[in-house]
Amino acid sequence: MADNKNLMDKLVSLCKRQGFIFQSSEIYGGIGGFWDYGPLGVELKRNIREAWWHDMITGHDNTLTPEGAPSPYSMTGLECSIVMHPQVWKASGHYELFHDMMVDCHECKSRFRADHIGSSQCPQKPSKCPGEHDKCDLTEPREFNLMFKTHVGALFNPDSEAYMRPETAQGMFVNFKNVVDTSRVKLPFGIAQIGKSFRNEITPRNFTFRSREFEQMEMEFFCRPEESRQWYEYWRDQRYNWYVNLGLKSDKLILRDHEADELSHYSNGTADIEYAFPFLGEGEYGELEGVAHRGDYDLRSHSEGKLVRDGDGFAVELGEDGKPKYSGSGKDLRYHDQVANEKFFPHVIEPAAGCDRAALAFLCEAYTEDQVPDGKGELQERIVMKFHPRLAPIKAAVLPLRKKEDAEIAKDIYRKLKPYWNVFYDEGGSIGRRYRRQDESGTPYCITVDAETAEDNSVTIRDRDSLKQERIPVDELIGKLHEKLSGA
RNA sequence: GCGGGAGUAGCUCAAUGGUAGAGCGCUGGCCUUCCAAGCCAGAUAUGCGGGUUCGAUUCCCGUCUCCCGCUCCA
C-alpha cells in the first residue's frame, strides 16, 4: 500500500509534467472534482473514445454472429444534449434518488432526510426524534442535490429549472422511438453514446477517479426479454475482454457480480468491471464499468410513468391522487415486431463505462520503472509509459541522430508519416535523452535517421518496451508502422 | 459535510520577520552523436484574500485546493 501510494504520487506528478492531466482552473486555486486533459491526455482520451466507438459501433459487423453471442445484432450511435426536459429525470427515478431536503445535526454530525425527521431516531437519544433532544443542533432543511441544476431561459424561476444529465443513458431511451423509426434497425440492436455527465459528488477523491464532470461511454442494448439473460452474459464477457485487449492485465481486473442488496432499483442483475487502482487497499477494486440488466424499466417508465417494485415486477408509482407520481411521456415506446406482429417492451442490457476512469486505469497500468544501460553500460532508471499502441498519444517520433546532417531527411520522413498518425519530430538534445522523453510520453516507436539513411535510404525503428532496433528501408516504413500499430 | 495534516519554480525539495536556493526538467548556443555525457548563457515560484508589523513566504484569521480518516456513493 505504501508503495502503491508512492506510485500514485509519481503518476500524478508525471501526468502534470508531461501534460496528461491538470487540475481545472489551477491558476485560480483549482476547483474540486474537475480536471483538464493536457496535450498528451487529450490524445489518450481521444484514442480511448475512438477504440470504444470503433469496437462497439463502426467496426461491428451487423451480419455475422460474434463468438458467444446468441445471434447477429446491429449497432448505432447517438449524441444527445446534456440538458433535457426535467420530466426525463423524474420519470427515470433520478430526481427522487438524487434530490432531497436534508437536515444536519451539528452536535452528532448526523444527516437526516427532512421528510423523515418524524420517523427518525436521534443517535444520541434513540427514544426521541432528531431535534427533540436538548443537545440537538439542527440546521434548516437544505437542498441536497447530486444533480447539477441550471435554468433554461434568462429568467430564473422554479419553472425554468433544469438539470445537467447525471448519466447519458436516458438520452438513448427517450430517443428509442426516433432511432427505430429512422434507422431500420431490428431487435436485437444497441444504441451507443459517448458524452459528458455531471454529478455533484460529496467527496471527489482519488485524482480523477470520482469527478463531478465526467465522460461516459454507454450503450443500451435492446433485445427480446427471453434472450436478455444470454445477452447480459455476452456483454459482460465482451466488455471485460475489451480492457484486457487494450492492455489491462487480467490479474488486476475483475468481473464482480453485484449482491442482491446492492442492485439498483431497476436492475435484474449487474456486474462491475473493476480495476485494482493503486490508491486502493490490497484486494480492493474500483469500478471502471457497470454492465446492468435493466429489464424494461426505462422504456416503460418513459411511457407510463416512474415505476416502483411491486412484488416480482414493477408497477407505476402512484401519488395520493391515484395518478402517476411522476408521469411518463404517454408515448408508446414498445417495439413493434412486424414479422410476428407483436408489440412489447424490449429488455435492456447496459454496459456503462467511465471514459475518465478507463483513462486513469490505462495510465496506472502503463506506468513502469525499469533499468536501461547508459552509454557506459551502467544501468540507469527509466520511467516508461507502456500504453497499448492504439492508445498511445504519439504513435512514433522521428529523430535525426545528427542534427546538422540528418535533419532534412528526417523532416521528409516526418512529413510522409504525418497524414496517417500523430507523429512527433524532435532534434533537440542527445539521442538518449530524446528516447527517454518519448518513453515518458508512451510513444511506442522511435524512427532514427542516421548516416546510413543517406547512403541506402534505411532507418531504424526502436521499440519502446524492448529497446530493440530494427533497420528497414524508408519505403517500407508506412507499411511496417501500420502493422505494428494495429495492435497485435 | 466533520476531524487532522499540507500548500515555495514544470517536478522533487530547501531556507528565512529584511535580496527566496538546489537538483532534475525547460529554452538558446558550442561540442558530441544510438539510450538522460560535457561546457556557457537564460527563463520560471512563496495558492488566494484580509489582519498584525516600518517590513509577512514566515505570525494570526478567513478562504480555496490537495492528502489521510469518517461520512456519502446508481
Side-chain angles (χ1 to χ4, degrees):
Chain A
M1 183 60 184
D3 284 353
N4 278 346
K5 176 74 183 63
N6 197 7
L7 191 154
M8 205 56 210
D9 287 346
K10 289 191 208 172
L11 181 67
V12 172
S13 292
L14 181 140
C15 283
K16 175 78 191 291
R17 74 171 178 272
Q18 284 292 333
F20 280 100
I21 298 174
F22 307 125
Q23 194 182 10
S24 170
S25 318
E26 191 186 296
I27 61 168
Y28 285 103
I31 175 167
F34 297 92
W35 299 92
D36 295 342
Y37 287 82
L40 289 184
V42 68
E43 295 299 332
L44 173 65
K45 252 192 91 173
R46 229 167 51 81
N47 291 337
I48 292 170
R49 276 195 294 260
E50 280 176 11
W52 188 88
W53 195 262
H54 174 271
D55 295 349
M56 295 292 276
I57 304 166
T58 54
H60 171 70
D61 184 335
N62 291 349
T63 66
L64 59 75
T65 305
E67 197 182 330
S71 70
Y73 58 90
S74 302
M75 292 294 301
T76 62
L78 188 70
E79 183 172 313
C80 308
S81 61
I82 287 168
V83 175
M84 302 170 75
H85 193 292
Q87 195 64 27
V88 169
W89 307 111
K90 293 187 174 165
S92 72
H94 287 84
Y95 178 81
E96 274 211 324
L97 263 144
F98 277 20
H99 182 270
D100 277 312
M101 297 304 282
M102 304 295 284
V103 172
D104 289 298
C105 178
H106 291 306
E107 176 62 26
C108 65
K109 313 294 185 199
S110 302
R111 174 175 291 150
F112 311 94
R113 277 181 61 164
D115 55 346
H116 288 176
I117 285 278
S119 56
S120 302
Q121 293 180 331
C122 169
Q124 298 198 335
K125 194 142 187 169
S127 61
K128 298 199 172 188
C129 297
E132 292 177 356
H133 181 43
D134 314 338
K135 288 185 179 167
C136 290
D137 181 11
L138 300 184
T139 63
E140 289 299 301
R142 292 185 291 185
E143 190 170 340
F144 193 85
N145 197 344
L146 256 47
M147 286 196 288
F148 279 91
K149 191 186 280 187
T150 185
H151 289 261
V152 175
L155 212 54
F156 272 43
N157 61 51
D159 290 341
S160 70
E161 281 180 1
Y163 299 95
M164 315 267 272
R165 65 182 175 197
E167 63 170 36
T168 61
Q170 298 305 319
M172 272 89 87
F173 296 125
V174 302
N175 277 293
F176 174 74
K177 197 168 151 50
N178 280 337
V179 172
V180 169
D181 289 349
T182 55
S183 68
R184 299 184 58 234
V185 285
K186 289 181 183 153
L187 284 191
F189 69 91
I191 307 178
Q193 159 160 240
I194 296 177
K196 288 287 184 75
S197 292
F198 302 81
R199 290 182 199 177
N200 231 331
E201 298 288 353
I202 299 163
T203 315
R205 262 306 149 85
N206 290 328
F207 202 27
T208 60
F209 183 77
R210 181 173 294 152
S211 304
R212 293 188 163 121
E213 173 176 342
F214 56 100
E215 189 149 21
Q216 293 187 295
M217 305 186 293
E218 294 197 298
M219 193 268 282
E220 308 303 325
F221 190 80
F222 300 92
C223 62
R224 300 190 69 92
E226 62 273 19
E227 291 178 352
S228 62
R229 189 74 209 175
Q230 274 178 283
W231 283 113
Y232 170 63
E233 284 160 15
Y234 169 76
W235 281 112
R236 271 189 351 184
D237 296 344
Q238 196 73 5
R239 294 302 310 151
Y240 181 87
N241 290 332
W242 188 77
Y243 293 97
V244 174
N245 291 335
L246 284 174
L248 295 192
K249 291 193 185 66
S250 52
D251 59 349
K252 289 192 186 165
L253 198 63
I254 59 166
L255 191 55
R256 190 179 66 82
D257 285 301
H258 279 206
E259 305 294 329
D261 61 356
E262 208 183 342
L263 291 177
S264 311
H265 61 283
Y266 50 72
S267 186
N268 299 321
T270 298
D272 279 348
I273 297 167
E274 300 181 335
Y275 178 72
F277 284 101
F279 49 77
L280 298 171
E282 189 70 32
E284 292 184 332
Y285 296 82
E287 181 182 348
L288 285 181
E289 171 160 352
V291 181
H293 187 317
R294 297 175 74 125
D296 61 3
Y297 180 90
D298 302 277
L299 288 178
R300 269 188 73 196
S301 291
H302 285 302
S303 287
E304 301 167 4
K306 181 180 168 286
L307 302 174
V308 285
R309 206 166 264 289
D310 178 28
D312 285 344
F314 286 90
V316 174
E317 182 177 7
L318 300 177
E320 286 170 9
D321 56 3
K323 292 179 181 168
K325 188 172 176 190
Y326 297 109
S327 58
S329 65
K331 302 283 189 295
D332 185 357
L333 298 182
R334 289 178 298 170
Y335 177 78
H336 185 191
D337 182 334
Q338 304 205 21
V339 177
N341 194 27
E342 56 176 338
K343 282 189 175 181
F344 60 94
F345 285 111
H347 277 204
V348 172
I349 311 303
E350 176 195 80
C355 187
D356 305 274
R357 287 184 175 185
L360 184 57
F362 288 125
L363 281 164
C364 291
E365 185 80 34
Y367 185 92
T368 310
E369 290 172 355
D370 63 7
Q371 298 208 312
V372 167
D374 64 14
K376 296 173 192 141
E378 288 171 25
L379 289 177
Q380 299 292 336
E381 190 150 288
R382 173 178 81 139
I383 293 172
V384 51
M385 296 299 285
K386 295 190 173 179
F387 293 119
H388 188 284
R390 284 180 78 187
L391 301 182
I394 298 168
K395 303 303 184 191
V398 180
L399 314 172
L401 188 63
R402 300 162 305 171
K403 188 173 175 180
K404 288 201 178 94
E405 294 87 341
D406 304 324
E408 287 315 309
I409 302 175
K411 284 179 193 165
D412 274 345
I413 292 172
Y414 165 77
R415 288 178 196 122
K416 282 200 181 84
L417 301 180
K418 201 74 210 231
Y420 302 97
W421 299 287
N422 189 26
V423 175
F424 190 77
Y425 175 78
D426 189 3
E427 59 180 28
S430 75
I431 190 66
R433 175 181 299 273
R434 281 177 279 163
Y435 286 147
R436 296 298 181 85
R437 279 199 283 247
Q438 294 308 315
D439 290 341
E440 227 178 78
S441 303
T443 306
Y445 301 106
C446 287
I447 294 148
T448 308
V449 174
D450 57 19
E452 280 183 57
T453 309
E455 291 168 18
D456 64 3
N457 208 30
S458 71
V459 290
T460 61
I461 301 187
R462 168 198 184 257
D463 183 275
R464 176 194 65 200
D465 301 341
S466 71
L467 306 175
K468 289 202 176 105
Q469 286 182 291
E470 185 183 351
R471 182 166 284 277
I472 65 161
V474 172
D475 294 341
E476 292 173 20
L477 192 52
I478 287 174
K480 193 80 185 172
L481 276 176
H482 254 301
E483 186 188 308
K484 285 176 176 288
L485 290 168
S486 62

